[in-house]
Amino acid sequence: MIPVERHQQILAMVAERGVVSFSELTERLGVSHMTIRRDVQKLEEQGALLAVSGGVRSAERLAAEPSHLTKTSLYNAEKSAIGRLAAQHIPRNSCIYIDAGTTTLALARELLERDDLLVVTNDFMVTNLLMESSHCRVIHTGGTVCRENRSCVGESASRSLRHLAIDIAFISASCWGPRGLFTPDEDKVTVKQTVCDVSSKRVLLSDSSKYNKIATFMALPLESFATIITDSGLGLAAQEALSEGNWQLLLAE
């Protein structure tokens, strides 16, 4: 059986069952475990399925970014816990970047008493909060306005970041997994990539509900991050998979 035929068989089994173990695939297709691993890696790169501990499952694809209003009603306790934990890792007199999103907004709420920070952000909600209620110095990137997400995106936002030297960038994710961060909005990609380039350290802030989901555009590989901060709802299989990476994984309680 040639690879294309095996791929079709694998996808058919996953579509029928949802989750299929590696041992079932090797037995059904009559090939080695390593061959199945290579097939699964190829299909995962195409966004056709996701590898999980011991097997594969169908990919949950994010077709569109939820609005800011929608996200404010989701996983608020988890986001607050992530924000509190992230704030503990910001040294005095730092220049930090806070990405657009409701989890990163939770981090901004933890910084209202700080008087030593320069905060760069593309998020209008973060800007308004810090402008009205904090002692932080604030720079907004400007750029093309994304109304639904209350932020700026695109090449113009990217250009404003290129002349900065940021100590720590706190980056949000629409969805993420072992391969990296994904977004359904191509205009967000260039902003995340640019801030990654100009930052000494990158920290991913994302709640566990977004783990092992994909979208059309890959923004950053997970190897870009020194630290991943998510919540304790992350499953044990995911924790094991992420423990193999070259980053620090922190779970907020």
Side-chain angles (χ1 to χ4, degrees):
M1 186 182 296
I2 64 174
V4 171
E5 292 175 323
R6 289 198 308 272
H7 295 175
Q8 290 173 344
Q9 290 270 5
I10 292 169
L11 292 175
M13 291 176 68
V14 171
E16 180 184 351
R17 309 251 312 269
V19 178
V20 184
S21 69
F22 288 125
S23 59
E24 289 176 288
L25 291 171
T26 56
E27 182 178 348
R28 173 78 171 269
L29 299 176
V31 294
S32 70
H33 189 82
M34 287 304 298
T35 297
I36 290 296
R37 285 277 189 182
R38 286 193 294 269
D39 288 342
V40 167
Q41 182 179 3
K42 185 69 173 177
L43 290 168
E44 190 174 29
E45 288 172 357
Q46 297 169 2
L49 49 70
L50 291 169
V52 294
S53 180
V56 294
R57 71 168 174 83
S58 56
E60 190 172 345
R61 180 174 289 273
L62 184 66
E65 180 78 19
S67 70
H68 176 86
L69 184 60
T70 298
K71 290 188 288 187
T72 55
S73 64
L74 301 172
Y75 304 102
N76 288 325
E78 289 84 354
K79 292 171 184 177
S80 295
I82 292 168
R84 284 194 299 272
L85 184 55
Q88 297 170 18
H89 291 79
I90 304 176
R92 285 193 59 80
N93 301 312
S94 295
C95 173
I96 67 171
Y97 174 80
I98 298 182
D99 203 8
T102 49
T103 305
T104 44
L105 179 59
L107 166 61
R109 292 193 182 103
E110 299 296 323
L111 306 179
L112 301 185
E113 301 304 316
R114 297 283 296 261
D115 61 1
D116 58 298
L117 300 177
L118 171 57
V119 178
V120 182
T121 184
N122 65 333
D123 189 294
F124 289 113
M125 304 303 290
V126 170
T127 299
N128 289 340
L129 174 68
L130 296 180
M131 181 174 62
E132 297 291 339
S133 305
S134 83
H135 303 286
C136 299
R137 295 169 59 205
V138 183
I139 296 174
H140 192 282
T141 63
T144 302
V145 173
C146 178
R147 288 183 173 87
E148 286 200 340
N149 283 289
R150 307 291 196 268
S151 66
C152 283
V153 295
E155 180 58 31
S156 51
S158 244
R159 278 198 301 271
S160 71
L161 291 165
R162 291 191 183 116
H163 71 284
L164 299 176
I166 294 169
D167 297 313
I168 310 174
F170 293 95
I171 298 177
S172 63
S174 303
C175 44
W176 61 289
R179 286 181 58 208
L181 273 62
F182 292 85
T183 175
D185 185 350
E186 189 174 12
D187 286 336
K188 292 185 176 183
V189 173
T190 184
V191 177
K192 292 183 189 295
Q193 291 179 345
T194 300
V195 79
C196 181
D197 290 341
V198 302
S199 301
S200 298
K201 179 180 180 181
R202 280 80 61 190
V203 179
L204 170 61
L205 300 186
S206 184
D207 70 78
S208 61
S209 73
K210 298 174 181 176
Y211 181 75
N212 245 355
K213 297 179 181 179
I214 61 170
T216 303
F217 302 101
M218 184 174 179
L220 292 169
L222 215 57
E223 289 77 13
S224 303
F225 296 92
T227 306
I228 299 169
I229 304 180
T230 185
D231 60 83
S232 56
L234 189 71
L236 290 178
Q239 292 180 39
E240 291 174 7
L242 292 171
S243 68
E244 298 174 4
N246 224 0
W247 48 71
Q248 180 184 30
L249 176 65
L250 301 178
L251 303 180
E253 300 286 345

